[in-house]
Amino acid sequence: MAVPTPDALLATAAAPPLPSLVSTRRLRSQRIGRALRLWVPAGILLLLLAICFVLPLAVTMPSSTSGDIIYNNEAPFSPGHLLGTNVQGVDIFSQLVYGGQVAFEVAFSVTAIGMVIGVTLGVAAGYFGGWVDGVLSRLLDILIAFPALVLALVIAEGLGPSEVHVIWALSVFAVPAFGRISRGATTTVRGLPYVTAARLSGTRSWRIIGRHILPNIMPGIVTFSLLGVGVVIILEGALDFLGYGIPLPEASWGSMIAQGQQILTAQPEYVLIPSIVLLITVVALNTLGDALRERWGVQ
Amino acid sequence: MSAEATPAEPLLSARDLVQEFVVRERGGGRSGVVQAVSGVSFDVMAGETLGIVGETGSGKSTLARAVLQAPRPKAGTVVFRGTDLTRLRGGQLLQARRHMQFVFQDPFGSLDPKWRVRSIVEEPLTAYRSGNRDARRKRVDELLDLVGLDPARYARRHPRELSGGQAQRVAIARALALSPSLIICDEAVSSLDVLIQAQVLNLFEQLRRELNLSYLFIAHDLALVKQVSDRVAVMYLGKLCEVGPGELVYKTPLHPYTKALLDSIPSTEPGAARATATLRGEPPSPVNPPSGCRFRTRCPRAADQCAAEVPQPRELAPGHLVACHFPLTGGAPPGAAAAAQHAASALPGTAKAQG
Amino acid sequence: MNGTQAAGALLQVEDLRVAFAADGREIRAVDGLSYQVDAGRTLAIIGESGSGKTVGCRALMGLLPASAEVSGSARLRGTEMIGLSDSELRRHRGQDMAMIFQDPARSLNPTMRVGVQITEAIRAHRKVARSEAHVQAVELLRLVRIPAPERRFHEYPHQLSGGMRQRIMIAMALACRPKLLIADEATTALDVTTQAQIMELLLDLQAELGMALILISHDLGLAASYADEVIVMYAGKIVEQAPATRLFGAGGTVKMRYTRALLDAIPHLERTAHTELPVVSGRPPDPTALPAGCSFAPRCPAAADDCAAKTPPLTEHAPGHRWACWHPCENGVPA
Ligand SMILES: Nc1ncnc2c1ncn2[C@@H]1O[C@H](COP(=O)(O)OP(=O)(O)OP(=O)(O)O)[C@@H](O)[C@H]1O
Ligand SMILES: Nc1ncnc2c1ncn2[C@@H]1O[C@H](COP(=O)(O)OP(=O)(O)OP(=O)(O)O)[C@@H](O)[C@H]1O
Ligand code: SF4
Ligand SMILES: [Mg+2]
Ligand SMILES: [Mg+2]
């Protein structure tokens, strides 16, 4: 008789005849839970990005930098001001939107810079080992030794606050973070038999890095970078809060909180609104990272 | 076959291989040297399979890697197809080594999970810039056919879509890509289930017949090694204790350690005398191996001479070498009475009555 | 033997089923397991990887993750084990039943001295003074043939060899003299000489303590040499069960084709080198979608239409010999 192949076997396995031990409700809720864990945070982030970057192109928004003092302290949902206005009469929703643009721009730039430079250094250190690793690891250690905030303050003091300076300052903190994590992942993958196999089959180093190491460490790096974006948003907020970030009157989430904080007891919503938006963004980034980690089986 | 290796000349000839590792004791700063392989010599003829058995930690994998020059051995020579690999570097070594391939223990671990079967098998061809794209493509189809995988069905799969046996076949196809004359298998079937293991062993046999391949076949399962090998080498603590034709080594072992290994195999015959623990004690540390014969601390025949002198390999029957002062057919050792007593205590007295 | 009689059995398992909910699909790991073990006897459970050997035994111990649904019954000395609460199970674990796990490296705490780990295992179940537990722990180390037990007591797991770590695991499992010991691939990672030492030790202890032993393994040689009774599992089901003397050796009468395939596929010392091994193609079925009929049918050389249509029941065809196959082997030889 013909030898059945595994595929024939899988074909016959199509009709499960047995009554289920696990309730269908439990199975369904597991499936739904898995989908929700990914799509809810992803949806929230897409929505936030759309509001920050697409909405201003579609509709004309009130200015986020100046307002009419006559219309100050408007309550939320007042005409023309979705979330009301602040003490100076600036539209809070506009501030949130333009502050969000800044937050995401800074966060994505910092993460991209950190990823490109950090992963390059980390992979080189992890793959080549020896003195290369020695030199690069020391370099990363030195960068890590700089407290990010203090450095940012120094840069702001020296060069004056600006978005670009914030990006450079926070990159100093992102590069070694990505460097460390990719160095660790590289050393792990480098020791796996398929890399040894590639080396012994005569594959050159750059090709091993490009085709074996990078594809296999990328899922871990990407989930890490989502957490990184969240951290950078918080740090950027902290710089703004301290007045060393995005220069006023340009809107930013951190400076909104800082201004609101002066009248915290009287009108807590000026602090609450930007804080909640910040919180939602960071939590969404983290849960999305966790969901991807679960899907991709990253440790 | 190659022009360099005439039938009379061995395909691979390793002489006095030594490999050592410096280790630092955990906690303390004291360091020692693990003598993983200490002066091992052997030959592999064209079309022949040499099996290597031994306990874990006896240095089998280290020996295999020393042959591959990854890492290069501390001392000794490895002559493969007439060239001494230990003298070559870089590109020259790469060229010399293309006829020597290897198959690892873990079938899934040795395949990149992100790659498809086709690219995995093609990798050595790409690395050695062998042929153009179409030629390589044809070669991959050929290789997959050879190992019994339908290219149309399997070439586009990822390793996770394969069973253990299929994954190991892919690894074997990759090893065959450059038409090697020697394949080094380090525990290549140990992690497979018995049913899949049998499939892969049959494939090795088929390839040996069809391609006149030689194998260096490392495993700790004695029956498995016997099944595939022409000659068998037994390793203990970094040294070879016995080398000989498979049938001879298994039927009339000369070294007390070989005998102990053979006696420890559980038999599939119920009610027959149970395998008894013929070897007492733990293997000694390779950092500080015993003087003289490395097996003497656990050997029932050990005498004073064993502690004083390192036993040199002697050919007691044609092609059957043993490194022992008192081999099992070479007469009784001086302390025969004590040894006999020791042996008696190891007989199946503890065997449990069969229910 | 439907398991209803035999009040004397130490462990009586009936229709044990385990399913996991994973990624919204049901994985049926164990599907209607029934067997019994008497005191002082050894049962071997053999089968391919993933056939449900470990899961079936973990279910007895109450050691499955929350994603598992367990049904059926398992009575240990008359007490039902399935459905017990965690605290009730903890009383039985160690005292009445103990398990040696597949992976000794991961089952020992690397940051604790082995002696302390054994002492804690003793004190978790019995109210004894620390000093008394220490004495007992050293005694256990001696029992499992660890040389210089007083010294080893103070060492960390990484300072011991694999064989010694496995013996520490055995010592911990034996700490409270269990009535039932489950050894899950306890010797698979070891080489033959160490394996032989440990099996001897287990048999001695079994005779000494009147313990029942369940050996989980995919090594048929081990099962043949050490077990009284053998269960062969495939895709979560028992496909053949018989006394070891009936299945193995010269006069063996294997009936189920899967058992036959397992036996034939092992290289024996008696075989001549380079001979072809009989093989079975394919792989075990996907546990999330088991086929109708006999689950071995897609790989079976003797499969006919009825095999794929109806599930063969596990029935006792000869005294003590049960098998589930529509077209069994004649006299143990493949037809
Ligand atoms: N890179 C290394 N550094 C330090 N010691 C090593 C290294 N590689 C191997 N060893 C030691 O060398 C000895 C031989 O190891 P090897 O892996 O060759 O044994 P083996 O016979 O292959 O064992 P197994 O059957 O377990 O695979 C062991 O004592 C091992 O601990
Ligand atoms: N926690 C779990 N969640 C989901 N599925 C599981 C879980 N544990 C085990 N399984 C599945 O249950 C089935 C039986 O597994 P089990 O560990 O009992 O196999 P086994 O016979 O012990 O195999 P091995 O010889 O490899 O140890 C497998 O298909 C396995 O994938
Ligand atoms: S040389 Fe001596 S100690 Fe070594 S194996 Fe022979 S008899 Fe035993
Ligand atoms: Mg090895
Ligand atoms: Mg298991």
Side-chain angles (χ1 to χ4, degrees), chain B residues 31 48 66 70 79 104 218 252 254 283-284 322 325 335:
Chain B
S31 64
E48 183 196 50
V79 178
F104 290 99
I218 298 175
T252 52
L254 295 178
V322 63
H325 294 304

Side-chain angles (χ1 to χ4, degrees), chain B residues 193, chain C residues 20-22 27-30 47-56 64-65 67 102 184-185 216 218 287:
Chain B
D193 252 302
Chain C
F20 294 97
I27 294 179
R28 190 165 290 240
V30 173
E48 269 174 293
S49 180
S51 53
K53 309 181 295 290
T54 302
V55 169
L64 288 174
S67 62
Q102 222 162 337
D184 188 357
E185 309 270 9
I216 302 181
H218 53 241

Side-chain angles (χ1 to χ4, degrees), chain A residues 58-241:
Chain A
V59 298
T60 21
M61 313 238 317
S63 163
S64 64
T65 49
S66 58
D68 197 335
I69 200 80
I70 301 169
Y71 297 108
N72 78 340
N73 281 342
E74 294 259 358
F77 305 114
S78 50
H81 301 290
L82 188 57
L83 292 175
T85 57
N86 71 2
V87 196
Q88 282 95 42
V90 186
D91 183 77
I92 291 182
F93 185 70
S94 290
Q95 276 191 314
L96 279 179
V97 167
Y98 288 101
Q101 283 189 359
V102 171
F104 283 119
E105 275 164 21
V106 170
F108 287 135
S109 316
V110 168
T111 309
I113 292 172
M115 195 162 7
V116 170
I117 302 179
V119 171
T120 308
L121 296 182
V123 168
Y127 185 81
F128 294 105
W131 67 265
V132 180
D133 184 26
V135 171
L136 293 179
S137 289
R138 270 317 76 70
L139 188 72
L140 294 177
D141 283 345
I142 292 169
L143 286 182
I144 263 182
F146 282 119
L149 271 178
V150 175
L151 186 78
L153 299 187
V154 171
I155 290 183
E157 280 291 345
L159 304 173
S162 87
E163 189 172 330
V164 176
H165 295 159
V166 170
I167 290 174
W168 285 123
L170 293 181
S171 298
V172 172
F173 142 91
V175 166
F178 278 98
R180 283 247 172 127
I181 208 135
S182 45
R183 179 184 173 273
T186 306
T187 3
T188 313
V189 174
R190 185 185 192 275
L192 294 179
Y194 59 81
V195 175
T196 316
R199 260 215 309 276
L200 287 178
S201 332
T203 308
R204 326 263 138 170
S205 293
W206 59 266
R207 199 177 151 82
I208 293 182
I209 291 176
R211 303 267 276 123
H212 289 289
I213 307 264
L214 281 179
N216 281 290
I217 67 170
M218 253 5 235
I221 306 275
V222 168
T223 49
F224 176 77
S225 71
L226 284 174
L227 306 186
V229 169
V231 174
V232 173
I233 287 181
I234 291 177
L235 284 178
E236 190 267 329
L239 284 180
D240 297 339
F241 181 88

Side-chain angles (χ1 to χ4, degrees), chain B residues 10 12 27 29 54 61 70 73 135 145-146 159 170 174 196 209 227 240 242 284 293 348:
Chain B
L12 172 76
S61 302
D145 260 334
L146 188 62
V170 172
R174 171 178 60 192
I196 298 166
R209 281 194 312 270
Q227 166 76 27
L240 291 188
E242 182 164 0
C293 171

Side-chain angles (χ1 to χ4, degrees), chain A residues 1 3-6 8-10 12-23 26-28 30-31 34 294, chain C residues 17-19 21-26 28 31 66-67 69 71 281-283 285 289-290 292 298-301 303:
Chain A
M1 76 163 275
V3 181
T5 62
L9 187 157
L10 290 176
T12 53
L18 303 151
S20 205
L21 267 186
V22 181
S23 76
R26 183 168 173 186
L27 293 179
R28 193 174 329 123
Q30 208 177 46
R31 266 199 300 267
R34 205 173 123 94
E294 177 193 331
Chain C
R17 284 164 203 270
V18 182
D23 292 349
R25 300 210 291 168
E26 185 190 58
R28 190 165 290 240
D31 202 5
S67 62
E69 282 306 328
S71 77
S281 60
R283 51 171 154 167
L290 293 175
R299 304 171 72 187
C300 181

